[in-house]
């Protein structure tokens, strides 16, 4: 992070029809979340600003927002991304 603000980013991993066990899928999802939070914690330049974070129940992922008007906004984002991700 150089301190300049870039455009919003969305990282998605879609394994499509790859057959993996639930344990493998959970380990991958947990690993992705862990990496994101670890890197954010090491590169913070925001003097401890509060973030809105949501771990969706219907799909493995993480929603993080710096500018958040309400928790309802996170629910709306989760719904939008869930529609893109499709049913599990």
């Amino acid at each position: 992070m150089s301190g300049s603000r870039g455009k919003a980013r969305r990282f998605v991993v879609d394994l499509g029809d790859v057959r993996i066990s639930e344990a493998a899928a959970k380990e991958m999802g947990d690993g992705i979340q862990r990496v994101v939070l670890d890197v954010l914690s090491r590169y913070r330049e925001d003097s401890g600003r509060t973030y809105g974070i949501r771990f969706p129940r219907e799909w493995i992922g993480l929603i993080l927002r710096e500018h958040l008007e309400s928790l309802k906004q996170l629910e709306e984002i989760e719904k939008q991304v869930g529609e893109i991700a499709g049913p599990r």
Side-chain angles (χ1 to χ4, degrees):
M1 226 159 102
S2 64
S4 64
R5 300 197 75 82
K7 66 179 183 173
R9 293 177 179 89
R10 195 173 268 165
F11 298 94
V12 176
V13 176
D14 181 347
L15 297 176
D17 61 358
V18 175
R19 292 181 184 199
I20 57 174
S21 69
E22 283 299 315
K26 182 179 181 341
E27 186 174 336
M28 285 181 212
D30 291 350
I32 290 168
Q33 292 171 347
R34 189 172 26 260
V35 167
V36 170
L37 293 173
D38 175 58
V39 172
L40 284 173
S41 72
R42 290 185 285 120
Y43 286 88
R44 286 183 75 161
E45 297 178 356
D46 59 16
S47 302
R49 185 174 297 126
T50 300
Y51 290 94
I53 301 174
R54 186 166 181 95
F55 298 92
R57 293 176 189 246
E58 297 300 318
W59 46 274
I60 297 170
L62 169 95
I63 300 170
L64 176 76
R65 290 294 183 273
E66 182 176 348
H67 302 286
L68 186 66
E69 294 178 20
S70 71
L71 292 178
K72 183 74 174 160
Q73 186 180 5
L74 286 175
E75 292 172 1
E76 291 169 9
I77 294 166
E78 179 179 346
K79 182 179 176 192
Q80 291 171 3
V81 175
E83 289 171 357
I84 294 168
R88 288 183 78 190

